[in-house]
Amino acid sequence: MTDRLEPLPSDFLRGDTPFRGTGVPSLHLRDYWEWSASCLLDNTTRGVLAEFLVATALQGFVSKRPRSEWDAYDFRAHIGGREVTVEVKSSARVQSWKQRKLSRPQFRVAPTRKWDPATGRNSEQPLRADVYVFCLFAATASEAHAAALDVDEWHFRIAPGFELPDQKSVSWNRLSRFRDCEYYDVRREFEVVAAGLAARSADFGKPR
């Protein structure tokens, strides 16, 4: 018996992997994915979708591996020999429930105590990531579920963590001083922000 169980390894699974022992030969992993994640505008699913879009936009900077629910940060990007911690935040004007009016996009930015899956412990102090990528799904039409797969309906703003206001949440309008990016601009703007952090502090990006 071990004193401490190690983190479980993860790898990409194939959608055509069958369930075993069900007596239903046509039941595959993709059926579970369709059942569990087809409502793209639920808050949790939309947030994961936003992370996926950012991961694909930053390919080459972030490791190609399955999403981890328990990492301290959404991503650890590697750029210019430095590690950059990244948080992805999403919001939308339309929701999956009945609305009286369009929502006012808000993003949580409060520092949090980061949990380290390697040690099973929280950080002693609340922390912020080096870089935040804010993702706004801007569609307002009734076909918004399908539109969530159209990258032209998403807008992105990238900000250094130290420049965010000292409050629990921030509106999209409050983030207007940061450049409004389309999907294909995210990588370039991320490089600009990361370079600015590196120029600001010699300690930025040292191994954590």
Side-chain angles (χ1 to χ4, degrees), residues 46-56 67-68 74-75 88 135:
R46 187 194 64 229
V48 175
L49 176 59
E51 289 180 30
F52 174 76
L53 293 177
V54 172
T56 58
R67 176 181 181 270
S68 175
D74 292 328
F75 300 111
V88 177
C135 311

Side-chain angles (χ1 to χ4, degrees), residues 96-133:
S96 58
W97 59 83
K98 182 178 177 60
Q99 296 173 261
R100 295 182 179 178
K101 60 181 181 180
L102 295 175
S103 296
R104 180 172 175 261
Q106 292 278 338
F107 304 85
R108 290 190 61 82
V109 295
T112 58
R113 295 182 67 196
K114 300 298 183 182
W115 189 76
D116 185 350
T119 64
R121 297 180 179 179
N122 287 322
S123 61
E124 293 184 3
Q125 299 294 329
L127 301 171
R128 272 192 171 137
D130 296 321
V131 175
Y132 282 70
V133 183

Side-chain angles (χ1 to χ4, degrees), residues 59-196:
Q59 56 184 331
F61 292 156
V62 298
S63 300
K64 187 177 180 181
R65 61 180 181 83
R67 176 181 181 270
S68 175
E69 181 72 22
W70 298 108
D71 279 355
Y73 300 95
D74 292 328
F75 300 111
R76 294 178 186 269
H78 296 272
I79 179 171
R82 299 172 183 267
E83 181 183 89
V84 183
T85 57
V86 183
E87 284 289 319
V88 177
K89 301 295 182 180
S90 80
S91 191
R93 293 191 171 94
V94 292
Q95 309 295 335
S96 58
W97 59 83
K98 182 178 177 60
Q99 296 173 261
R100 295 182 179 178
K101 60 181 181 180
L102 295 175
S103 296
R104 180 172 175 261
Q106 292 278 338
F107 304 85
R108 290 190 61 82
V109 295
T112 58
R113 295 182 67 196
K114 300 298 183 182
W115 189 76
D116 185 350
T119 64
R121 297 180 179 179
N122 287 322
S123 61
E124 293 184 3
Q125 299 294 329
L127 301 171
R128 272 192 171 137
D130 296 321
V131 175
Y132 282 70
V133 183
F134 297 98
C135 311
L136 174 65
F137 178 59
T140 58
S142 58
E143 301 84 3
H145 275 291
L149 298 178
D150 182 354
V151 295
D152 289 339
E153 296 288 356
W154 288 83
H155 296 270
F156 304 86
R157 288 175 178 167
I158 303 175
F162 76 90
E163 288 195 30
L164 296 177
D166 186 18
Q167 56 195 59
K168 290 184 178 180
S169 63
V170 63
S171 69
W172 181 253
N173 289 341
R174 182 78 182 274
L175 296 167
S176 61
R177 65 192 183 92
F178 301 107
R179 182 169 174 260
D180 199 356
C181 303
E182 295 183 355
Y183 173 79
Y184 298 103
D185 293 328
V186 168
R187 181 185 176 90
R188 180 175 56 192
E189 185 65 16
F190 183 85
E191 289 182 279
V192 171
V193 172

